[in-house]
């Protein structure tokens, strides 16, 4: 399996580190060219062909003469037996035999002489009988050079002699036939050397042409053989860089095609494996980040809770101790102390509930039930249920008589969002004490906004409104029992439904809004 190196990119993702540089790749390519199969293939075949032709020339030069001499000896022996048989049968002078013997003699360039040993009369002859007869008699009476003797039997002898006039070597076979006639067979050896020379020249020309043609064929064949190998090498090079788009496309049935198909399958397997590793790596990073966020939220939660509970707990403890010690014995004071304790306990209870709700939303444990409902009816019903609080605060709520507007979302959570907006609007309505509720439709979205008169939010505080326990006016928030969690709950709810939300400052007030998909 190929190793994967990952580096962090802007804190948002991971990218593969490059392995090696341009210089390394160029060096590898030069090494491939130096030791390429194409060059080795061409060198081996050209060397083999050239060596074969040179070996043929050497063998031709050294052994052809000996082989040719052996063939001459066999031809002379064969002619001897033919003449001996014909002379014994008395057919040596017949026309039929003369034609047959001429064929043998012309084929092997043999001179023939048959003579009566007693009268020295020539019985049969081809070519010049006088010169051959003289040589025959010299051999009989003068003897032969034992060093140049090739064969020596009871009936004939075979030797190599040199004509003292022409300085030409001959192979001679002479002796006595079964009927008592003398015979001599003679053939020049100069033709052997000439034949060897001609053969070598011819082989040299043919060999040179063969080498030239072989070079062209080897180049063509090596290109044909190494081209798919180079294609596989390029594919493997791209695979090394984790590029799996390249595929072998050859359609032949050779071993290279099998290798190419295997590389294709390997490429797909590697791509799938690396994809799975990247997915697992991404999930691991998410888990690590999620764990970090959870740890941070836990620490933040404990810090904020301890801070927010410190004041109500101190009040409860103080007023409870006052009751126990009887600081004020009158019933009215005791009732006031009890009211404070109950009020602070109620605030603590509400804050804990909100924290639990927020914690579940941020952890993703809450199931968002996307359903179709009438947002106009939801808003009107909530405003009607808050009528007592509205009248106590002497708030003027203005809302047009909208028709039914159907949207998609979690109805219970949307109501909680509107409740937080509306509660904040009541508590911060200012001197004019006016709240405007609007429902707008545009581009398949429904936008619900809650505007309240009063002082705008300081610009430095706008970005922090959605943070847990953040309070613009801590004294005012404490006055109405706020914990700074409501807008954090709004943020968590809207993000769980993948919808937008926000706040807009005006000179005379503040507008909070959220939007939903129109049904």
């Amino acid at each position: 399996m190929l190793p994967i190196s990952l580096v962090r990119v802007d804190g948002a993702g991971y990218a593969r580190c490059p392995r090696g540089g341009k210089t390394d790749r160029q060096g590898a390519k030069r090494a491939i060219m130096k030791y390429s199969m194409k060059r080795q293939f061409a060198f081996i075949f050209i060397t083999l062909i050239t060596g074969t032709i040179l070996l043929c020339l050497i063998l031709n030069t050294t052994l052809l003469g000996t082989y040719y001499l052996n063939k001459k000896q066999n031809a002379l022996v064969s002619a001897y037996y033919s003449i001996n048989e014909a002379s014994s049968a008395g057919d040596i002078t017949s026309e039929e035999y003369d034609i047959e013997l001429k064929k043998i003699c012309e084929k092997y360039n043999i001179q023939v002489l048959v003579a009566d040993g007693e009268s020295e009369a020539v019985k049969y002859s081809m070519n010049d009988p006088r010169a051959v007869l003289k040589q025959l008699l010299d051999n009989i009476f003068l003897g032969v050079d034992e060093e140049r003797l090739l064969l020596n039997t009871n009936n004939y002898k075979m030797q190599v002699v040199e004509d003292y006039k022409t300085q030409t070597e001959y192979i001679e076979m002479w002796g006595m036939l079964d009927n008592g006639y003398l015979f001599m067979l003679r053939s020049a050896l100069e033709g052997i050397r000439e034949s060897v020379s001609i053969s070598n020249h011819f082989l040299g020309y043919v060999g040179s042409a063969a080498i030239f043609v072989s070079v062209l064929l080897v180049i063509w064949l090596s290109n044909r053989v190494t081209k798919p190998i180079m294609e596989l090498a390029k594919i493997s090079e791209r695979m090394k860089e984790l590029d799996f788009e390249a595929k072998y496309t050859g359609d032949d049935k050779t071993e290279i095609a099998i290798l190419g198909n295997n590389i294709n399958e390997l490429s797909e397997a590697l791509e799938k494996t690396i994809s799975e590793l990247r997915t697992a790596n991404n999930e691991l990073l998410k888990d690590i980040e999620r764990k970090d966020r959870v740890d941070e939220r836990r620490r933040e939660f404990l810090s904020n809770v301890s801070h927010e509970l410190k004041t109500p707990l101190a009040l409860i403890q103080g007023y409870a101790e006052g009751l126990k010690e009887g600081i004020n014995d009158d019933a009215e004071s005791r009732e006031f102390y009890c009211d404070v304790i109950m009020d602070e306990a109620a605030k603590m209870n509400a804050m804990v509930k909100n924290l639990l709700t927020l914690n579940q939303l941020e952890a993703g444990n809450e199931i968002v039930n996307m359903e179709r409902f009438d947002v106009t009816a939801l808003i009107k019903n909530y405003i009607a249920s808050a009528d007592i609080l509205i009248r106590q605060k002497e708030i003027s709520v203005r809302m047009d008589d909208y028709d039914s507007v159907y949207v998609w979302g979690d109805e219970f959570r949307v109501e909680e969002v509107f409740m937080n907006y509306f509660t904040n609007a009541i508590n911060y309505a200012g001197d004019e004490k006016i709240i405007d509720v609007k429902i707008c439709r545009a581009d398949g979205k429904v936008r619900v906004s809650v505007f309240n008169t009063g002082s705008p939010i300081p610009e430095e505080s706008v970005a922090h409104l959605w943070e847990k326990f953040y309070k613009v006016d801590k004294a005012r928030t404490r006055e109405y029992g706020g914990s700074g969690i409501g807008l954090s709950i709004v943020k968590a709810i809207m993000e769980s439904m993948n919808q937008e939300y926000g706040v807009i400052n005006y000179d005379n007030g503040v507008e909070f809004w959220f939007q939903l998909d129109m049904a």
Side-chain angles (χ1 to χ4, degrees), residues 375-392 397-399 415 418-419 422 426 437:
V375 71
T376 304
L378 181 148
I379 293 171
K380 288 180 178 179
N381 290 337
Y382 180 80
I383 293 175
S385 66
D387 183 62
I388 296 175
L389 181 61
I390 292 171
R391 284 191 281 110
Q392 284 179 351
V397 178
R398 298 187 300 200
M399 178 179 174
E415 184 179 11
F418 183 79
M419 176 193 72
F422 196 81
I426 290 176
V437 179

Side-chain angles (χ1 to χ4, degrees), residues 5 12 37 39 44 49 85 130 140 146 169 187 210 251 267 273 284 302 310 326 330 343 346 350 373 385 400 435 486:
S5 294
M37 289 182 61
R39 288 189 175 186
I44 290 171
I49 293 169
E85 182 181 354
R130 288 174 297 177
I140 293 173
E146 294 294 335
E169 285 189 335
S187 179
D251 55 356
S267 174
T273 303
L284 178 60
L302 292 174
K310 186 186 300 181
D330 58 291
D343 183 50
F373 65 93
S385 66
D400 294 340
I435 296 176

